[in-house]
mmCIF file of all heavy atoms in Angstrom:
data_model
loop_
_atom_site.group_PDB
_atom_site.id
_atom_site.type_symbol
_atom_site.label_atom_id
_atom_site.label_comp_id
_atom_site.label_asym_id
_atom_site.label_seq_id
_atom_site.Cartn_x
_atom_site.Cartn_y
_atom_site.Cartn_z
ATOM 1 N N VAL V 10 109.002 85.174 103.363
ATOM 2 C CA VAL V 10 107.651 84.689 103.080
ATOM 3 C C VAL V 10 107.166 85.333 101.788
ATOM 4 O O VAL V 10 107.652 86.392 101.372
ATOM 5 C CB VAL V 10 106.662 85.014 104.225
ATOM 6 C CG1 VAL V 10 107.096 84.363 105.519
ATOM 7 C CG2 VAL V 10 106.523 86.522 104.414
ATOM 8 N N ILE V 18 85.341 89.096 93.813
ATOM 9 C CA ILE V 18 84.639 89.975 92.876
ATOM 10 C C ILE V 18 83.156 89.666 92.933
ATOM 11 O O ILE V 18 82.722 88.577 92.551
ATOM 12 C CB ILE V 18 85.184 89.796 91.449
ATOM 13 C CG1 ILE V 18 86.690 90.073 91.442
ATOM 14 C CG2 ILE V 18 84.458 90.728 90.477
ATOM 15 C CD1 ILE V 18 87.352 89.828 90.103
ATOM 16 N N LEU V 26 73.118 87.646 94.243
ATOM 17 C CA LEU V 26 74.479 88.119 94.455
ATOM 18 C C LEU V 26 75.421 86.990 94.066
ATOM 19 O O LEU V 26 75.256 85.851 94.505
ATOM 20 C CB LEU V 26 74.697 88.509 95.914
ATOM 21 C CG LEU V 26 76.076 89.093 96.251
ATOM 22 C CD1 LEU V 26 76.270 90.449 95.560
ATOM 23 C CD2 LEU V 26 76.245 89.241 97.757
ATOM 24 N N GLY V 38 96.927 72.474 94.681
ATOM 25 C CA GLY V 38 95.487 72.714 94.586
ATOM 26 C C GLY V 38 94.963 72.812 93.173
ATOM 27 O O GLY V 38 93.843 73.290 92.972
ATOM 28 N N SER V 60 94.861 96.015 92.124
ATOM 29 C CA SER V 60 94.300 96.704 90.960
ATOM 30 C C SER V 60 94.742 96.027 89.665
ATOM 31 O O SER V 60 93.944 95.848 88.734
ATOM 32 C CB SER V 60 94.732 98.173 90.947
ATOM 33 O OG SER V 60 94.183 98.869 92.043
ATOM 34 N N LYS V 103 77.102 92.969 83.487
ATOM 35 C CA LYS V 103 76.944 93.260 82.058
ATOM 36 C C LYS V 103 78.168 93.978 81.478
ATOM 37 O O LYS V 103 78.367 93.983 80.261
ATOM 38 C CB LYS V 103 75.702 94.120 81.824
ATOM 39 C CG LYS V 103 74.418 93.535 82.395
ATOM 40 C CD LYS V 103 74.106 92.158 81.832
ATOM 41 C CE LYS V 103 72.775 91.630 82.390
ATOM 42 N NZ LYS V 103 72.534 90.231 82.003
ATOM 43 N N TYR V 105 81.214 93.080 82.092
ATOM 44 C CA TYR V 105 82.308 92.125 82.024
ATOM 45 C C TYR V 105 82.304 91.421 80.673
ATOM 46 O O TYR V 105 81.338 90.756 80.315
ATOM 47 C CB TYR V 105 82.191 91.121 83.167
ATOM 48 C CG TYR V 105 83.357 90.178 83.303
ATOM 49 C CD1 TYR V 105 84.631 90.530 82.874
ATOM 50 C CD2 TYR V 105 83.192 88.926 83.868
ATOM 51 C CE1 TYR V 105 85.697 89.672 83.006
ATOM 52 C CE2 TYR V 105 84.259 88.054 84.015
ATOM 53 C CZ TYR V 105 85.506 88.428 83.572
ATOM 54 O OH TYR V 105 86.569 87.571 83.704
ATOM 55 N N ASN V 114 88.727 81.268 82.275
ATOM 56 C CA ASN V 114 88.017 80.073 82.735
ATOM 57 C C ASN V 114 87.406 80.267 84.127
ATOM 58 O O ASN V 114 87.585 79.451 85.036
ATOM 59 C CB ASN V 114 88.966 78.873 82.749
ATOM 60 C CG ASN V 114 88.220 77.554 82.849
ATOM 61 O OD1 ASN V 114 87.069 77.448 82.411
ATOM 62 N ND2 ASN V 114 88.859 76.549 83.431
ATOM 63 N N ARG V 153 77.115 100.257 92.226
ATOM 64 C CA ARG V 153 78.224 99.717 91.438
ATOM 65 C C ARG V 153 77.859 98.371 90.815
ATOM 66 O O ARG V 153 78.505 97.925 89.868
ATOM 67 C CB ARG V 153 79.450 99.521 92.322
ATOM 68 C CG ARG V 153 79.902 100.774 93.053
ATOM 69 C CD ARG V 153 80.791 101.621 92.188
ATOM 70 N NE ARG V 153 81.358 102.737 92.943
ATOM 71 C CZ ARG V 153 82.409 103.437 92.532
ATOM 72 N NH1 ARG V 153 83.000 103.139 91.403
ATOM 73 N NH2 ARG V 153 82.854 104.449 93.258
ATOM 74 N N THR V 162 62.353 97.685 91.715
ATOM 75 C CA THR V 162 62.345 96.256 92.023
ATOM 76 C C THR V 162 63.762 95.691 91.968
ATOM 77 O O THR V 162 64.161 94.921 92.847
ATOM 78 C CB THR V 162 61.443 95.492 91.036
ATOM 79 O OG1 THR V 162 60.097 95.941 91.187
ATOM 80 C CG2 THR V 162 61.490 93.985 91.307
ATOM 81 N N PHE V 181 60.443 100.013 101.969
ATOM 82 C CA PHE V 181 61.642 100.226 101.164
ATOM 83 C C PHE V 181 61.427 101.372 100.186
ATOM 84 O O PHE V 181 62.261 102.279 100.063
ATOM 85 C CB PHE V 181 62.015 98.940 100.416
ATOM 86 C CG PHE V 181 63.249 99.060 99.565
ATOM 87 C CD1 PHE V 181 64.513 98.942 100.134
ATOM 88 C CD2 PHE V 181 63.156 99.290 98.198
ATOM 89 C CE1 PHE V 181 65.660 99.058 99.356
ATOM 90 C CE2 PHE V 181 64.292 99.411 97.415
ATOM 91 C CZ PHE V 181 65.548 99.291 97.996
ATOM 92 N N ARG V 182 60.304 101.356 99.487
ATOM 93 C CA ARG V 182 60.061 102.386 98.474
ATOM 94 C C ARG V 182 59.826 103.753 99.111
ATOM 95 O O ARG V 182 60.213 104.782 98.544
ATOM 96 C CB ARG V 182 58.883 101.984 97.591
ATOM 97 C CG ARG V 182 59.182 100.704 96.816
ATOM 98 C CD ARG V 182 58.333 100.522 95.606
ATOM 99 N NE ARG V 182 58.813 99.386 94.823
ATOM 100 C CZ ARG V 182 58.482 99.140 93.579
ATOM 101 N NH1 ARG V 182 57.654 99.961 92.953
ATOM 102 N NH2 ARG V 182 58.951 98.097 92.940
ATOM 103 N N GLU V 187 62.593 109.193 99.633
ATOM 104 C CA GLU V 187 63.103 110.285 100.466
ATOM 105 C C GLU V 187 64.539 110.654 100.098
ATOM 106 O O GLU V 187 65.067 111.649 100.595
ATOM 107 C CB GLU V 187 63.043 109.875 101.946
ATOM 108 C CG GLU V 187 61.623 109.680 102.476
ATOM 109 C CD GLU V 187 61.618 109.103 103.883
ATOM 110 O OE1 GLU V 187 62.705 108.726 104.370
ATOM 111 O OE2 GLU V 187 60.530 109.022 104.486
#
Side-chain angles (χ1 to χ4, degrees):
V10 299
I18 303 176
L26 183 66
S60 294
K103 305 302 182 188
Y105 187 27
N114 195 28
R153 304 275 187 163
T162 297
F181 180 82
R182 297 201 172 196
E187 294 173 352

